[in-house]
Amino acid sequence: MSKSNTAQPAICTRGVTRDFPAGQDTITVLHGIDLDVKAGELTYLVGESGSGKTTLISIMCGILWPTEGEVQVFGTDIYHLSDTELVNFRLENIGFIFQQYNLIPAIDAASNAAVPLIAQGMPRHEARERSIEMFDKLNILDQADKLPNQLSGGQQQRVAIARALVHEPRLVVCDEPTAALDASSGRRVMDLLRDVAVAEDRACIIVTHDNRIFDLADRILVLEDGRITHDGTQMPEDH
Amino acid sequence: MIWIAIRMLTGDRQKFYGLLFGIAFSTLLITQQLTIFVNLIERGASGVYNVSSADVWVMDPVSRTTDVAYAMPSTALDKVRGVKGVEWAVPHLRANASVRTKDGDLEGVAVIGVDDATLIGLPKSMVEGSTDVLSQPDAVIIDDVGTTRMFPGESPIGERLELNDQRAVVRGIADAIPSFTSTVVLYTKYSQALRYVPGTRNRLSFVLVGAADGVEAKSLSDSIEEQTGLKAQTRDEFARDGVQFIIENTGIPLNFGITVLLGFIVGVAIVGLTFSLFIRDNIKQFGALKAIGVTNGKIARMVAAQAAMVGLIGYGLGVLGTVGFIYGFSNNPTFKGFYIPWQIPLISFAAMVLIIALTGWIALRGVMKTEPAAVFR
Ligand SMILES: Nc1ncnc2c1ncn2[C@@H]1O[C@H](COP(=O)(O)OP(=O)(O)OP(=O)(O)O)[C@@H](O)[C@H]1O
Ligand SMILES: [Mg+2]
């Protein structure tokens, strides 16, 4: 995989901290994170449970306010936007893949994947057609008309990937995309994600502690107690 | 997004039907009970409605309704006839009596004596026989509800009755709106009625008046009061007096009011609970939508669309149920002449909107409070 030569990083965090109230006190979950995530790379964020991975990725994709620090996504200072501007920024620029898929049970797979386009205001049928094109790319065309509960976990996660990519966002974020899947479907989902989500002008960042898929990463960041302790193409030896 | 909202709602069959049931049940209860209430208290005016040709009712100043009347001396009739603007004025007698059937049963009845010459005072139409039968000796006309009460399943025509120990023969059946108490009514000529009702000195209950062409009922009743010292009420006023009397003297408004309130509360409870459950079941999906980039405003519109859909369908079913109920019982004498005043569906619509707005708002708050960041947890 060629390294991106764009000057501007996809995500740039400077001095990001995040506190949470814990009873009387506050706990600091992130301690001044300075990070550049490049486009064209599959970036993993790994670390032990409670190390702050979800908190960091939530801040990077504009759904959780940092206590301090700046976050730029493709040059936009996202936490300086108004609430509505931020929501619309996410709608245009970010694709989400959740551990629990969060598909809408009452509408078929293709319509589920079309949701970001529908939310952008595209007519439903047109959006669904675009979503079916994405299904074709993901080799799940035969599942377009099925309801989520007629699909296996791996198949649902593919639909969720289609939903994350259908509107061609510049940043794709995934929190534990394979945690609910068995080893082989997890691996297949990640292979697929690698194929479709990584592109010259797109950044893809994945939170995981699934060591079965570490070999697929271009870059691995390790978070320990709210600090980045490792940044490289491989996992550090001691993990 | 509205399409998605509707599919989310209808996709969850159980809750969708639960919500429809809640709204339909509330609407039915409210609409049906209000309908019965209005029709029942309007029965307080049935005596007035049954004599549709009288423009003004003249009575003793202490009389209150067709059934609560104090008799006047017979000279009152001539006094009323002397008032300018009176086209015609006829005597009208209303009294209670008891009747013994051929089986020996005793029944309280109302005797109504109508003008001998014009027969004004009879209901407009007959179910059986013609009004001419009153010229036969001892003839009485029974009302249709009285027929089902006193002669269930058989024809009363030709039946002999002992009316206050006097002979009476049923010669016809009148099509009348039953009274509030559904008392059996026997119509007879005024002169005949005087014989049936034992002799106190005064027995003239009302003078029924027709207004001359171009004379307003209200101004006529005013001049009658002024010139005779009697009480005169227009048809509408007197009908309202009858209704008012029922409202003031029975527990009916309270009882129906309680049922309507219960319908409302049950609606809020069922719909509120089901709607909250529905939202809670879908909170993850709503959270995902918020993270993906659906504004709170759009989310609110989605929930509003869900609420509106449930509300409208449920309301339609409830009103349909009421219509079905009224229609289904239209042959039952208790519900004779029942109709749904247009105001009532409007009232239950307002109640439905209130239920929906209240429960929808509570449900919506849950969605609004969900942090988009919660989707990663
Ligand atoms: N909304 C919150 N309120 C209070 N504390 C929180 C909140 N979210 C996270 N935390 C705390 O912040 C710390 C880091 O949480 P986070 O979810 O980022 O960890 P994680 O690395 O994603 O862990 P896991 O691998 O278990 O998902 C934890 O101690 C957690 O209890
Ligand atoms: Mg986590």
Side-chain angles (χ1 to χ4, degrees), chain A residues 1-6 38-42 200 217-220 232-233:
Chain A
M1 176 63 52
S2 68
K3 293 278 167 208
S4 167
N5 41 20
T6 359
K38 299 186 204 71
E41 281 187 355
L42 189 59
E200 274 303 306
D218 293 319
R219 180 184 181 196
I220 296 180
T233 55

Side-chain angles (χ1 to χ4, degrees), chain A residues 18-22 27-30 46-58 64 99 175-176 207-209 223, chain B residues 371 373 376-377:
Chain A
R18 172 72 205 202
D19 299 339
F20 284 115
I27 51 164
T28 302
V29 173
L30 297 176
V46 303
E48 284 177 1
S49 183
S51 56
K53 305 182 296 292
T54 298
T55 307
L56 180 55
I57 202 182
S58 301
L64 184 69
Q99 179 182 331
D175 194 1
E176 312 272 10
V207 164
T208 186
H209 49 219
L223 197 60
Chain B
E371 297 272 339
F376 277 148
R377 261 179 252 134

Side-chain angles (χ1 to χ4, degrees), chain B residues 33-46 49 178-180 239-254 256 338-339:
Chain B
Q33 289 294 302
L34 282 177
T35 298
I36 294 180
F37 170 70
V38 167
N39 281 280
L40 263 191
I41 60 168
E42 284 209 342
R43 290 274 168 90
S46 65
Y49 293 145
S179 71
F180 178 72
R240 226 171 298 137
D241 290 348
V243 171
Q244 199 59 38
F245 187 83
I246 300 288
I247 291 177
E248 282 167 11
N249 292 282
T250 68
I252 289 200
L254 184 67
F256 279 86
F338 270 31
Y339 70 108

